[in-house]
């Protein structure tokens, strides 16, 4: 497929992301991101998790200012847009509806094509926002709050899922264990920060071993729960006194489970181009362990900038750019799909 858009008129896309708890809008021009605005919804912190109805309401409040700011920063007016894109799924239905309705009305009002984007595919395509870019085929470990997948990326829009979690996603495991440790929501980044001050081998938690390329994280969560319950019976300030070591040990366990499968998959497929994507790829331990593994295995690794790891509309704009070039536009009857899948059947 063509890498960039090379006709006389530029291809300018406005993309909106609203699948969970970030409202984001971005502008791309010929496959280059000109702006990427993200409004994070702090309201969920009080509830220890994302409250779907509150997410929808916050998206509704944020969407107009976020889109205006994205246009302003990119120095683009609505009439300069050639297409509009939105996250079709997976995600929360009420949250997806806000973005999709907004973008569909723009498509209709401006009479320009609509592009429906898969959020997980877009996380992977975030690697094409900046340089260096992975070469096809590459193997991507996609780790977010809702997904943990090993994906062989044959081309921009040709992907094959070769392994995934059979229960919790790794981001969910980070967040649930962080909650057990009394950390605020979302716990992943807090756990990461504390882990850097702790001893990762102090508390060895059991690692569940799944067949083939699949993962399972619910066992670790339960093991930590029982371990804490037993320790707290004997010593009620056990968590406070050992917080950094607990965080470091949990993080080391989760990372080794991820990287073990990544290494097996890379050897089995015979690829040396390795990428990570999704919110958990912001984890500093995962980033540094992957760099080390890359040296041992002589891999070229691709780790997105932090702002393109967690949810953002820049990745939706890039995915939309390649979909537009492939003729993948949609009609106004398109609707959100909370359980949307991607990849070869
Ligand atoms: O991709 P993302 O922003 O949203 C989904 O598509 O789910 O991922 C969110 C997940 C959350 O579970 C969050 O705790 C986790 O990514 N996360 C982290 C870090 N930053 C975000 N987990 C561990 N360490 C981090 N630094
Ligand atoms: Zn995401």
């Amino acid at each position: 497929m063509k890498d960039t858009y090379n006709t006389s008129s530029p291809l300018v896309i406005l993309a909106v992301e609203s699948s969970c708890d970030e409202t984001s809008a971005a502008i791309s021009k010929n496959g280059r991101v000109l702006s990427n605005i993200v409004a994070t919804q702090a309201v969920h912190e009080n509830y220890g998790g994302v409250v779907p109805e509150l997410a929808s309401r916050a998206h509704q409040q944020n969407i107009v200012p976020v889109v205006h700011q994205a246009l302003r920063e990119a120095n683009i007016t609505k009439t300069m847009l050639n297409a509009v894109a939105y996250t079709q799924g997976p995600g929360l239905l009420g949250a997806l509806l806000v973005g999709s309705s907004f973008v569909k009305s723009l498509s209709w009002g401006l009479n320009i094509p609509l592009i429906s984007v898969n959020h997980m595919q877009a996380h992977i395509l975030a690697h094409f926002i900046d340089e260096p870019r992975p070469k096809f085929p590459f193997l991507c470990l996609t780790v977010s709050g809702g997904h943990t997948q090993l994906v062989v990326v044959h081309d921009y829009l040709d992907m094959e899922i070769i392994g995934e979690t059979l229960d919790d996603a790794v981001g969910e495991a980070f967040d649930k264990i962080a909650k057990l440790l009394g950390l605020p929501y979302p716990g992943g980044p807090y756990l990461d920060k504390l882990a850097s001050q702790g001893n990762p081998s102090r508390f060895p938690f059991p690692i569940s071993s799944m067949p083939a390329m699949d993962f399972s994280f619910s066992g670790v969560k339960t093991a930590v729960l029982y371990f804490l319950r037993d320790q707290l019976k004997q010593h009620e300030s056990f968590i406070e006194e050992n917080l950094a070591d607990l965080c470091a040990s949990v993080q080391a366990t989760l990372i080794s489970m991820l990287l073990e499968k990544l290494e097996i998959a890379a050897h089995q497929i015979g690829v040396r181009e390795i990428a990570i994507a999704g919110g958990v790829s912001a984890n500093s331990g995962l980033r540094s362990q992957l760099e080390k593994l890359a040296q041992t295995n002589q891999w070229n690794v691709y780790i997105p900038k932090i702002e393109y790891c967690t949810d953002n509309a820049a990745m939706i704009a890039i995915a939309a750019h390649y979909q537009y070039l492939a003729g993948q536009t949609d009609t106004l009857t398109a609707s959100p799909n909370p359980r949307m899948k991607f990849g070869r059947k």
Side-chain angles (χ1 to χ4, degrees), residues 22 119-120 123 144-146 171-172 174-175 186-189 192 278-280 282-284 309-311:
E22 329 271 2
H119 180 88
M120 296 314 296
H123 265 303
S144 74
E172 204 176 343
F174 265 103
D175 295 343
D192 182 5
V280 180
N283 183 270
S284 57
C309 289
T310 46
D311 290 348

Side-chain angles (χ1 to χ4, degrees), residues 40-66:
T40 302
Q41 303 177 0
V43 61
H44 307 289
E45 279 167 23
N46 306 327
Y47 299 90
V50 176
V51 183
E53 176 62 21
L54 295 181
S56 310
R57 290 176 190 213
H59 282 307
Q60 223 154 1
Q61 281 180 341
N62 292 341
I63 196 154
V64 171
V66 162

